[in-house]
Amino acid sequence: MRGGRRLTAQWIGGSIMLLLFALVVGVFGSSRLERNVANCQLDVMAASTPGRTALAEAKQLSACLSERNGWLERWRSRGGTAAIDALPHAPCRYLGVWVALRGASAYAVTLKGDGEFKAEPLAISNRQERYAGSWGVHEGQMVWLPQGHRGAAWPPDINRIRNPRAESFSLEEQDGSISHFFLAKSLYSADCAN
């Protein structure tokens, strides 16, 4: 019996040590990633020119992060950089003017074939803002890069696409809520991806 208790105590002690090591590595990687993002955002803002797209700025930021980050930071930011690298990808089926509903908010969202979007509130509210920037689809997810919010948008807003139909789709937001999109007007573009 004593040998079994000793083995159990060693297993528990080893598990606790492994957990503490993972916590220290995670905190270290997170703080380095945050510092690298802040420094890369400063570099992107310094090089920004009028009329430059949010996607162009995000790609520059992604390249800067790839250069500065170590393996741990690259692993932690892999979803955002993979999505940025895959854009522009604006599928034709999503081009148009959409009415987007989420809670009490309603927006007219225009998704263009060149990968740019514009979102305007349908009702006047103190909390609703206008948005514009770049958009695209990567691996069943809608990627949003708003223009002009703290320089290059990072991390990108990535939402899983749910129930895609010809005239509607839903997005699962990062907080778990659902935004519903209903097609108001189709748009044509030779730039879109099939």
Side-chain angles (χ1 to χ4, degrees), residues 64-107:
C64 177
L65 288 174
S66 292
E67 184 179 302
R68 290 183 185 198
N69 286 343
W71 66 269
L72 180 61
E73 296 84 24
R74 280 194 296 274
W75 180 79
R76 289 183 60 97
S77 65
R78 69 194 178 283
T81 55
I84 298 300
D85 294 343
L87 299 181
H89 183 252
C92 299
R93 72 163 320 286
Y94 293 107
L95 300 189
V97 179
W98 299 82
V99 174
L101 305 173
R102 178 177 162 202
S105 298
Y107 280 87

Side-chain angles (χ1 to χ4, degrees), residues 29-48:
S30 181
S31 65
R32 276 195 50 174
L33 179 60
E34 288 174 14
R35 185 179 67 243
N36 288 345
V37 167
N39 288 333
C40 287
Q41 282 180 323
L42 290 173
D43 291 350
V44 169
M45 288 188 331
S48 187

Side-chain angles (χ1 to χ4, degrees), residues 7-19:
L7 190 57
T8 301
Q10 288 175 340
W11 184 84
I12 290 172
S15 296
I16 290 171
M17 290 300 290
L18 186 60
L19 196 59

Side-chain angles (χ1 to χ4, degrees), residues 93-94 161-166 168-170:
R93 72 163 320 286
Y94 293 107
I161 300 170
R162 298 175 65 183
N163 307 317
R165 296 188 176 94
S168 68
F169 65 95
S170 298

Side-chain angles (χ1 to χ4, degrees), residues 97-100 106-110 118-122:
V97 179
W98 299 82
V99 174
Y107 280 87
V109 179
T110 303
K118 179 175 61 171
E120 299 185 36
L122 291 174

